Amino acid sequence: MNNITTKYIYLLIFITPYIDILNGIQVIIFKSNSNVTFGNVIRIFLLFFMILLYFNKRSKNLLLKMFGLLFLIIQQIIFMFFYDINLKNIFLEINFLMKIMYTIILLLIIIENFHLLDVDRLLELVIFSTSCISIVIILSRILNIGAYTYQSVGYKGLFLEQNAVTAILVSSIPFIIDKIYKVEKNYKYLYCFFQVFIACFLLGTKTAVSGAILVTGMYLFFFRVEKKFEFKKIIFLSISISIMLFIYKFIWGYFKNTIVLRWNYFFSNLDFISFILSSRNKTLVESYKFFSNNILLFFSGNGYINGFNNINSFLTGHAVIEMDIFDIIYFYGVIAGLIILVLLLKPIYTYFLNLKNKCKINKTYMISYLSILFISFFGGHVLLTPMAGTFFAVIYGINYGISKKK
């Protein structure tokens, strides 16, 4: 069973981009409005298999696992009292719940089986999948077969969730740069870095562009490397400058006249915090008015249907706050939110504990985790999106697992 579990984890990382490409083809190319996509059907089977793997493992936490499952079932029954019970609502409620379950269960599976996993293989699969995502964005832009990120601005290719793609691209950059420095024949990693950087600019989200620049800048100007890697750092600096010149010559004109204009418009019409958070702070304040005075909803959450209707009443077309931890609290209550928050902060606590105790640490792994966690907190669509959630679970598992070996 352990061998099956490790192979399953590797396979899941590998196929994740292709599942979302299938979703994109169905929705973008074939204009399907169905709530059921090929990718969602595949992920339902993947989730059930993950649950079987997780509950099959006999451990001292089995009672806690069963209690957690019972809590979710009772919670779903409570939600039924807040809206009409029909098959469509039940399906939508379960479908939304499965998104967060998908990420959390995969995360727990990786933690419990980390001693059996090859970290280098995990990293190679993450980099490979990120490269595939970048290539799809670039090629779909060239062939003009994908979708814009925002109406006629930016380009996300055949992917439906630009925030999820942003999280994956930005959080993978530290792994790629680390390989560029440390691997002797690093040409494929240089090529991958070029792809990811270009894809971030084509995508055009504030987080993708600023995240790519900031993370790269940290490695170039603020991180010391061993003397044997100094020459590679100089080469990487030269490559980075070349990429910026390429962007300036071939992409900047389009970027300036579309994405930058959009940023300028919102910057001039919003306060600074609202601009940075794309008005998610305002959505957060309005959303919490619907359940902050109801003690039952405060602890159990609104549920998806009730929560969606509330948000949609003042922000047409929006279903979530787009700040993951606040979405979890809003939809599933403060207890679930605090449990998950503690879980998310544990690798950071352990990292600084190891730093204090002068244990060997890995900055690259932590920078990647902080990047994707930051995007999850302030941009959303990470924990609640299976594509980004898969990468989040892997990055979390690497940080958690490595810290436990100290």
Side-chain angles (χ1 to χ4, degrees):
M1 182 59 74
N2 288 336
N3 191 38
I4 293 174
T5 304
T6 54
K7 287 182 177 179
Y8 175 80
I9 293 169
Y10 295 141
L11 177 64
L12 192 61
I13 303 168
F14 178 78
I15 67 172
T16 287
Y18 303 105
I19 294 174
D20 281 85
I21 290 169
L22 272 177
N23 284 343
I25 291 172
Q26 182 177 341
V27 174
I28 297 169
I29 305 298
F30 292 102
K31 311 294 182 184
S32 171
N33 293 319
S34 173
N35 290 316
V36 181
T37 61
F38 293 122
N40 286 344
V41 172
I42 293 170
R43 283 207 168 96
I44 288 170
F45 286 106
L46 292 174
L47 177 60
F48 279 123
F49 188 64
M50 277 196 285
I51 292 171
L52 288 174
L53 286 176
Y54 186 57
F55 281 90
N56 181 72
K57 190 176 179 68
R58 295 180 182 178
S59 71
K60 60 183 180 181
N61 294 323
L62 183 60
L63 186 63
L64 186 61
K65 296 173 186 177
M66 296 304 296
F67 175 78
L69 184 63
L70 182 64
F71 174 77
L72 287 173
I73 293 171
I74 293 173
Q75 193 178 48
Q76 293 302 304
I77 293 172
I78 291 173
F79 293 157
M80 297 300 177
F81 290 99
F82 289 91
Y83 53 81
D84 294 332
I85 299 175
N86 59 61
L87 287 177
K88 182 181 178 182
N89 284 347
I90 292 172
F91 171 79
L92 291 173
E93 196 71 58
I94 293 173
N95 182 58
F96 189 76
L97 175 63
M98 284 196 302
K99 291 181 180 181
I100 182 63
M101 285 183 65
Y102 191 94
T103 302
I104 298 301
I105 292 176
L106 177 59
L107 183 153
L108 295 174
I109 289 173
I110 292 174
I111 288 174
E112 291 198 359
N113 294 277
F114 187 78
H115 61 289
L116 302 170
L117 294 167
D118 183 339
V119 174
D120 284 334
R121 189 173 180 183
L122 287 174
L123 293 176
E124 287 295 329
L125 285 167
V126 167
I127 292 171
F128 172 80
S129 295
T130 304
S131 178
C132 289
I133 292 168
S134 302
I135 290 170
V136 169
I137 292 172
I138 294 168
L139 286 180
S140 60
R141 173 67 280 191
I142 293 171
L143 299 173
N144 198 30
I145 57 173
Y148 290 106
T149 304
Y150 311 103
Q151 295 176 335
S152 60
V153 176
Y155 213 77
K156 59 184 177 181
L158 295 174
F159 298 101
L160 302 177
E161 298 278 359
Q162 60 262 24
N163 288 31
V165 174
T166 294
I168 294 168
L169 296 180
V170 173
S171 63
S172 297
I173 290 175
F175 297 142
I176 299 168
I177 297 176
D178 194 58
K179 291 288 186 181
I180 290 171
Y181 283 174
K182 296 179 180 178
V183 175
E184 186 174 346
K185 294 181 179 180
N186 60 6
Y187 307 112
K188 69 175 182 179
Y189 301 112
L190 286 168
Y191 180 55
C192 183
F193 176 77
F194 175 78
Q195 294 169 352
V196 171
F197 214 88
I198 296 300
C200 284
F201 271 79
L202 287 176
L203 191 62
T205 65
K206 294 191 294 291
T207 307
V209 175
S210 60
I213 293 172
L214 287 172
V215 172
T216 303
M218 279 196 299
Y219 273 88
L220 284 173
F221 303 112
F222 297 104
F223 277 22
R224 292 182 180 180
V225 296
E226 297 176 38
K227 283 190 176 181
K228 60 182 179 180
F229 299 134
E230 283 289 349
F231 180 66
K232 287 190 175 182
K233 186 173 182 180
I234 294 171
I235 292 175
F236 180 59
L237 175 60
S238 303
I239 295 292
S240 299
I241 293 171
S242 300
I243 291 173
M244 293 307 295
L245 289 173
F246 176 88
I247 289 172
Y248 180 76
K249 183 171 179 61
F250 295 103
I251 299 177
W252 181 249
Y254 166 79
F255 189 82
K256 180 182 178 182
N257 294 322
T258 55
I259 296 166
V260 173
L261 279 178
R262 184 178 187 274
W263 290 354
N264 286 336
Y265 171 79
F266 284 109
F267 186 76
S268 61
N269 286 278
L270 297 171
D271 60 86
F272 182 72
I273 298 298
S274 297
F275 170 73
I276 294 297
L277 296 177
S278 299
S279 296
R280 291 180 179 89
N281 53 319
K282 296 180 179 179
T283 308
L284 175 64
V285 172
E286 289 297 319
S287 299
Y288 272 71
K289 292 178 182 178
F290 288 100
F291 89 129
S292 57
N293 295 322
N294 187 317
I295 192 68
L296 178 61
L297 293 181
F298 183 76
F299 285 106
S300 70
N302 283 276
Y304 176 70
I305 300 299
N306 195 42
F308 166 78
N309 289 335
N310 289 340
I311 292 176
N312 202 49
S313 68
F314 66 87
L315 198 60
T316 304
H318 282 66
V320 294
I321 299 168
E322 294 187 300
M323 301 170 81
D324 282 345
I325 197 63
F326 293 110
D327 275 317
I328 291 168
I329 293 172
Y330 175 71
F331 288 109
Y332 296 115
V334 69
I335 296 174
L338 289 176
I339 291 171
I340 291 176
L341 181 61
V342 170
L343 184 69
L344 300 185
L345 294 178
K346 196 165 185 178
I348 301 173
Y349 169 78
T350 308
Y351 175 86
F352 283 104
L353 191 64
N354 288 334
L355 187 65
K356 180 182 177 183
N357 295 331
K358 297 182 179 180
C359 297
K360 189 177 180 180
I361 55 174
N362 191 302
K363 291 181 181 178
T364 292
Y365 298 162
M366 182 48 60
I367 290 171
S368 176
Y369 181 64
L370 289 175
S371 299
I372 200 166
L373 185 65
F374 180 87
I375 295 170
S376 172
F377 264 76
F378 298 106
H381 300 280
V382 176
L383 299 179
L384 299 175
T385 305
M387 180 170 74
T390 299
F391 286 80
F392 182 91
V394 173
I395 296 168
Y396 179 100
I398 290 172
N399 277 278
Y400 186 90
I402 292 294
S403 68
K404 287 297 181 181
K405 287 185 176 181
K406 306 301 181 185

